[in-house]
Amino acid sequence: MTARQYFAEFLGTAFLLIGVVGSGIMAQTLSDGNIALALLANAIATGCMLYAIITTLGPVSGAHFNPAVTLAFALRGEHPWSAVAPYILVQVAGGIIGVWAAHYMFDLPIMQTSQTLHRTGSHQWFSEIIATLGLLFVIFGGIRHKPDTVPALVGLYITGAYWYTSSTSFANPAVTIARGFTDTFAGIYPGHIVMFIAMQTIAVFIGHFVLNWLFKPETQSSV
């Protein structure tokens, strides 16, 4: 792996968190207390950002921007194990930098810790399994059947999953950690992060077996 690939993962994850947190701040500011409207704006902005960064940085680094995705590719033998830890490190670092950049843009204290306490409990933990498994489903299904649509598939999936998962679909350990550093609309209390990441990791191993079987290339029968 090259420095350019690591930087692409850092930059892409930073922009992802700028999209998540920045749009959350703007949405909460302009929605006049309408949480549904704020969530809609947050979801659309995040989906748009995902489409943009996957399209532009995919050819450079594979556009993981997500330790769960990196682990899933490594399990499939499509990403070197020696590069898993460095990818995760730059993704987490990029996510935190992205959060701080969003705070600075909106003239908020840069260093924060989330006090959002409602993102926890067995229902939301299960939701993160569904959210992460669904993300891997569209990635590997897209790669198998129509690779050029993956950026749109991921952007659309996350936009929708914000609404149909009770956790609002974090589906990403780097995003989960970074959102612990913002006491804004997008935040999650740091003490609740571990279980979210545990569920996301469980989803990766479920997906490794289920999705590899589901999207296994059809064997050609001899004539």
Side-chain angles (χ1 to χ4, degrees):
M1 308 301 287
T2 67
R4 197 163 59 96
Q5 290 171 302
Y6 292 127
F7 182 71
E9 285 296 301
F10 171 87
L11 183 65
T13 314
F15 269 113
L16 174 56
L17 268 299
I18 288 171
V20 171
V21 175
S23 66
I25 296 168
M26 182 69 83
Q28 191 171 39
T29 301
L30 299 180
S31 63
D32 195 27
N34 187 327
I35 297 175
L37 181 60
L39 183 62
L40 178 62
N42 192 206
I44 292 171
T46 301
C48 290
M49 180 63 85
L50 279 165
Y51 179 81
I53 60 177
I54 294 170
T55 300
T56 54
L57 294 175
V60 180
S61 68
H64 297 184
F65 314 135
N66 184 338
V69 173
T70 298
L71 178 58
F73 274 109
L75 288 168
R76 289 164 60 95
E78 297 174 9
H79 185 82
W81 281 102
S82 61
V84 169
Y87 254 47
I88 292 173
L89 180 62
V90 297
Q91 289 159 358
V92 172
I96 294 171
I97 294 296
V99 167
W100 290 345
H103 290 166
Y104 186 75
M105 284 194 295
F106 286 93
D107 196 22
L108 297 174
I110 293 175
M111 303 295 241
Q112 301 180 23
T113 301
S114 176
Q115 300 303 311
T116 302
L117 298 174
H118 66 268
R119 290 191 162 111
T120 189
S122 60
H123 301 291
Q124 292 202 44
W125 300 337
F126 177 70
S127 176
E128 277 301 292
I129 294 178
I130 299 299
T132 309
L133 188 58
L135 175 62
L136 298 175
F137 169 76
V138 300
I139 290 172
F140 293 121
I143 289 171
R144 171 70 178 86
H145 298 298
K146 204 168 184 184
D148 60 318
T149 66
V150 171
L153 288 171
V154 172
L156 289 169
Y157 173 78
I158 292 297
T159 301
Y162 261 59
W163 283 86
Y164 58 71
T165 60
S166 61
S167 63
T168 65
S169 188
F170 284 45
N172 183 331
V175 166
T176 305
I177 292 169
R179 288 171 69 165
F181 287 85
T182 182
D183 193 23
T184 64
F185 184 78
I188 177 173
Y189 182 66
H192 298 157
I193 286 173
V194 171
M195 284 303 295
F196 266 48
I197 293 176
M199 297 304 108
Q200 293 156 3
T201 304
I202 287 171
V204 171
F205 286 97
I206 294 172
H208 177 64
F209 294 104
V210 175
L211 300 178
N212 282 352
W213 170 77
L214 180 63
F215 296 124
K216 182 179 180 181
E218 298 292 338
T219 56
Q220 300 261 340
S221 58
S222 57
V223 183

